[in-house]
Amino acid sequence: MYPGRIFEEFPAPEYRGAQEQALADIRDAFAAGNDVVLVRAPTGSGKSLLARAIAGCARGAGEAEAGQVTDAYYTTPQVSQLDDVEGDELLADLSVVRGKNNYSCILPGETDTPVDRAPCARERGFDCQVKHRCPYFSDRAIAANARVAAMTLAYFMQTAGSDVFGRRDVLVVDEAHGLGNWAEMYATIDLGPDTVPVWEACEPPDIEGLDDAVRYADRLDTMADRRLTELRSQAELSPEAVAERDRLVELQSDLSWFVEDYRDTDSATTWVVDQPDGAGTRVMIKPMAPEKYLQHTVWDRAERCALLSATILNKDAFCANVGLSPDRVALVEVPHTFPVEDRPLYDVTQGKMTYEAREETLPVVADVLVRLMARHPDEKGLVHCHSYAIQERLADHLREMGVASRVRTHDSDDRDPQLATWQRTDDPEVFLSVKMEEALDLQGELCRWQLLCKAPYPNTRDSRVAARLEDDQWGWYYRTALRTVIQACGRVVRAPDDHGATYLADSSLLDVFERARADMPDWFAAQVDRMHSPDLPPADPAAATAGTDGRAGSRSGPRSGSGSAGADEGSGRRRGSRRSRSNSNPVADVWDTE
């Protein structure tokens, strides 16, 4: 790696905000001999441009001595982030490759068939005469030979050990704050009727512990092997049989890793198992802090690594969670350059939103939301509901209060279409969302205000969470919630001339700020320190729906309302440019695999 050329590799014609100083700090951190550099850079700091500059410091083919690796990887957990990279002219030299299911076969009669279900996957010994023109294999070949290969984290992890994507000089991971959690999710083994093709022939007994889980895994592996032998004996498979075969291969790999790792007395991985409904029902086998998994799939893939995020809150804790040695890791802090008064936090807390207190608190939160709608009659709003149960009850209360004409909701099946429709509309709709705290760019008039309904604590009914709390890891618990809050706050302020307000409804959020204060970035602490309770208008349904004329989604053309996000901070700010681009589901869309 040649960190000294980071400035010449910066792809933009000029620096914005603190980018020039950030590049200097990153250069110095690598030059000091650190193997990994964490870059804590807030929303709007241009992380993708910084990432490209770091990747450009990798050794090229003409600079390497015998045995030295070359080139770089760029990866991110979020498909929407990869979409942004692919569409950015400044990042045009990043060669993007996606999983096979994202490409269509080009053979006659197969143009509606994804490559992972094409004849080459269905027929044994199939010789494709146009493989050199296949869109997937073409993109893969280009990326394999490119200076910077770009892909999702899921695809990157799945290519570990492949001859095509071997070890490189530099790895850059964008949006890396949840790397440990993503690894745990990828490594979780979900055994149920919808994930195990041989389920009916091998339903689980009552799994009371890990020894039971290992015995069941051995039996399931044997049944999967028998079915695979049957499938592989056939000359040609249907698309459904191909899907079954691929799932069985993946299942065997997962089971083998779990069994071998569990029986390895030197392994650092701790496993937990859940089967809440007893014998014959779904079993979840989960690793905690799967350092061995990350070592193979991430850390062994490059000599130097840069991890970028707005919310890597605690260096030592992060390193412990992902299996890094802190003494070879540096943290570079990039300051926030957006005016703090343009990203205000407001305290409209109404009580706790715990399961026990929710029925009492939710009606009051609904009342506050109607008052916020009246305060922002002509501006689109986003409500982070945290769960579908909260979303449903909140929608019911709003309907009873007569403001349903301004409200949009979604379920797990139509979240992306509903999100895209809400982003396109010029009507000041309020979108009741679930799990949209990340990977959502709502610049300018796309959204001017948002409400956080509930403190986003990890689910204590999850066995991994419970195990950590039993181990007294309460710092992790509060940092995890704080990280999600900070990510959510960044959805509505995306540029130096943008502005947007975040309102807090759950009093537990104040507890998060107090308990995780030591891990809070300075720029977010400044927001918290300025937080106050605003003066809100009465909960008048007519005022709350005045901007819609009772016809949700009927307006065309942007509107500027009197209830702007920064009303308490003064008026007359320049508004950010309007954009209307669909963003993908930040959780479901990561399963972009080979």
Side-chain angles (χ1 to χ4, degrees):
M1 183 184 190
Y2 297 95
R5 67 181 182 212
I6 195 168
F7 288 101
E8 63 188 78
E9 291 293 339
F10 186 71
E14 58 186 23
Y15 301 115
R16 187 182 72 186
Q19 288 174 338
E20 186 173 14
Q21 184 60 51
L23 291 172
D25 292 343
I26 295 167
R27 175 200 61 196
D28 294 345
F30 276 120
N34 292 290
D35 296 325
V36 179
V37 174
L38 312 180
V39 183
R40 187 160 69 186
T43 299
S45 56
K47 289 192 292 294
S48 296
L49 300 179
L50 298 176
R52 169 58 188 82
I54 297 167
C57 296
R59 279 189 301 261
E63 301 167 318
E65 299 178 3
Q68 288 186 321
V69 293
T70 62
D71 302 324
Y73 288 115
Y74 169 90
T75 184
T76 174
Q78 299 162 354
V79 170
S80 55
Q81 178 70 19
L82 193 66
D83 292 341
D84 290 344
V85 167
E86 191 170 30
D88 192 331
E89 293 181 357
L90 295 175
L91 304 173
D93 61 343
L94 270 65
S95 295
V96 174
V97 59
R98 302 173 185 273
K100 287 182 179 179
N101 59 316
N102 291 276
Y103 300 86
S104 295
C105 181
I106 60 174
L107 289 171
E110 300 283 354
T111 52
D112 292 330
T113 305
V115 172
D116 63 338
R117 302 290 179 263
C120 59
R122 302 198 306 261
E123 300 179 27
R124 188 176 54 202
F126 181 82
D127 183 17
C128 183
Q129 300 300 309
V130 295
K131 184 175 180 178
H132 62 288
R133 292 195 290 113
C134 172
Y136 168 71
F137 286 102
S138 176
D139 274 6
R140 190 181 74 163
I142 292 171
N145 292 283
R147 187 181 179 200
V148 184
M151 59 196 72
T152 62
L153 185 61
Y155 185 91
F156 178 71
M157 287 180 166
Q158 288 206 345
T159 59
S162 73
D163 295 331
V164 178
F165 293 109
R167 184 175 172 84
R168 293 198 172 194
D169 187 27
V170 174
L171 166 65
V172 181
V173 183
D174 205 351
E175 302 297 339
H177 49 272
L179 188 57
N181 292 337
W182 287 111
E184 288 180 354
M185 182 178 72
Y186 296 147
T188 292
I189 304 171
D190 180 5
L191 305 176
D194 54 333
T195 62
V196 177
V198 293
W199 179 265
E200 291 185 3
C202 194
E203 290 187 356
D206 191 9
I207 306 293
E208 296 185 353
L210 286 169
D211 288 338
D212 288 345
V214 168
R215 284 190 288 271
Y216 177 60
D218 283 335
R219 185 159 62 92
L220 191 56
D221 179 73
T222 299
M223 296 299 295
D225 197 60
R226 291 177 185 172
R227 177 56 180 158
L228 271 174
T229 299
E230 294 176 7
L231 291 171
R232 287 168 172 162
S233 67
Q234 301 177 32
E236 182 176 351
L237 299 175
S238 67
E240 294 75 21
V242 169
E244 181 183 359
R245 179 200 65 194
D246 293 349
R247 177 63 194 122
L248 286 169
V249 170
E250 181 183 0
L251 177 63
Q252 280 197 308
S253 176
D254 290 344
L255 294 173
S256 174
W257 177 56
F258 160 59
V259 171
E260 291 177 7
D261 188 87
Y262 178 68
R263 289 172 174 162
D264 180 3
T265 56
D266 295 327
S267 174
T269 306
T270 299
W271 294 88
V272 293
V273 61
D274 286 334
Q275 191 193 36
D277 298 321
T281 64
R282 182 176 301 275
V283 178
M284 302 284 285
I285 304 171
K286 308 173 184 179
M288 296 182 60
E291 298 158 5
K292 182 177 178 180
Y293 183 75
L294 281 172
Q295 190 66 43
H296 170 60
T297 59
V298 178
W299 309 131
D300 287 346
R301 306 286 296 280
E303 294 190 353
R304 299 285 189 93
C305 300
L307 311 178
L308 295 83
S309 171
T311 50
I312 297 176
L313 301 180
N314 181 296
K315 172 190 163 183
D316 289 344
F318 178 84
C319 290
N321 190 39
V322 299
L324 292 173
S325 176
D327 59 347
R328 300 301 299 274
V329 177
L331 175 63
V332 169
E333 182 84 45
V334 180
H336 210 314
T337 57
F338 298 177
V340 66
E341 60 269 18
D342 287 348
R343 41 188 173 94
L345 288 175
Y346 292 118
D347 179 357
V348 294
T349 55
Q350 300 300 310
K352 291 186 177 295
M353 282 288 289
T354 59
Y355 183 80
E356 295 77 12
R358 190 175 302 164
E359 284 303 306
E360 180 179 346
T361 308
L362 254 177
V364 195
V365 171
D367 183 82
V368 166
L369 182 52
V370 174
R371 297 173 72 187
L372 292 174
M373 292 164 69
R375 191 185 199 210
H376 301 268
D378 296 306
E379 295 176 324
K380 293 163 73 172
L382 178 68
V383 180
H384 296 283
C385 296
H386 185 73
S387 71
Y388 285 107
I390 293 176
Q391 181 206 59
E392 182 178 356
R393 295 295 294 124
L394 187 57
D396 289 343
H397 286 302
L398 295 175
R399 189 178 303 109
E400 293 169 0
M401 298 177 75
V403 297
S405 63
R406 194 179 166 187
V407 174
R408 180 180 295 275
T409 63
H410 69 87
D411 58 32
S412 58
D413 294 325
D414 71 352
R415 57 179 293 145
D416 289 347
Q418 291 289 357
L419 172 61
T421 301
W422 175 70
Q423 288 178 298
R424 286 194 300 268
T425 185
D426 295 317
D427 199 90
E429 292 182 356
V430 177
F431 191 33
L432 307 188
S433 72
V434 178
K435 301 300 180 185
M436 292 191 183
E437 296 92 349
E438 297 187 36
L440 197 54
D441 184 344
L442 299 175
Q443 184 170 329
E445 302 295 340
L446 284 178
C447 188
R448 286 298 183 196
W449 60 280
Q450 60 182 344
L451 175 69
L452 272 64
C453 280
K454 185 182 184 305
Y457 289 120
N459 185 358
T460 55
R461 291 189 295 275
D462 184 289
S463 55
R464 282 179 300 211
V465 175
R468 285 192 172 101
L469 296 186
E470 288 175 7
D471 194 36
D472 206 28
Q473 296 182 33
W474 288 96
W476 166 85
Y477 185 69
Y478 288 107
R479 276 194 304 273
T480 301
L482 176 63
R483 186 181 70 203
T484 304
V485 171
I486 295 175
Q487 287 286 337
C489 289
R491 297 313 96 207
V492 297
V493 185
R494 309 292 302 180
D497 59 353
D498 200 2
H499 65 88
T502 299
Y503 298 90
L504 311 178
D506 182 1
S507 58
S508 294
L509 287 162
L510 307 181
D511 194 40
V512 171
F513 293 162
E514 179 180 350
R515 292 179 180 271
R517 178 73 187 210
D519 295 314
M520 197 178 286
D522 291 343
W523 54 265
F524 188 74
Q527 289 177 251
V528 173
D529 290 343
R530 300 181 80 258
M531 181 173 61
H532 62 278
S533 298
D535 293 327
L536 298 180
D540 179 2
T545 57
T548 67
D549 291 333
R551 301 190 307 276
S554 64
R555 291 205 176 269
S556 61
R559 303 176 62 84
S560 57
S562 58
S564 69
D568 280 18
E569 308 299 334
S571 59
R573 292 192 187 90
R574 178 184 174 189
R575 295 176 183 264
S577 60
R578 180 180 177 80
R579 300 198 304 177
S580 182
R581 185 182 67 247
S582 173
N583 289 274
S584 299
N585 170 4
V587 174
D589 68 2
V590 301
W591 298 103
D592 174 19
T593 58
E594 183 167 16

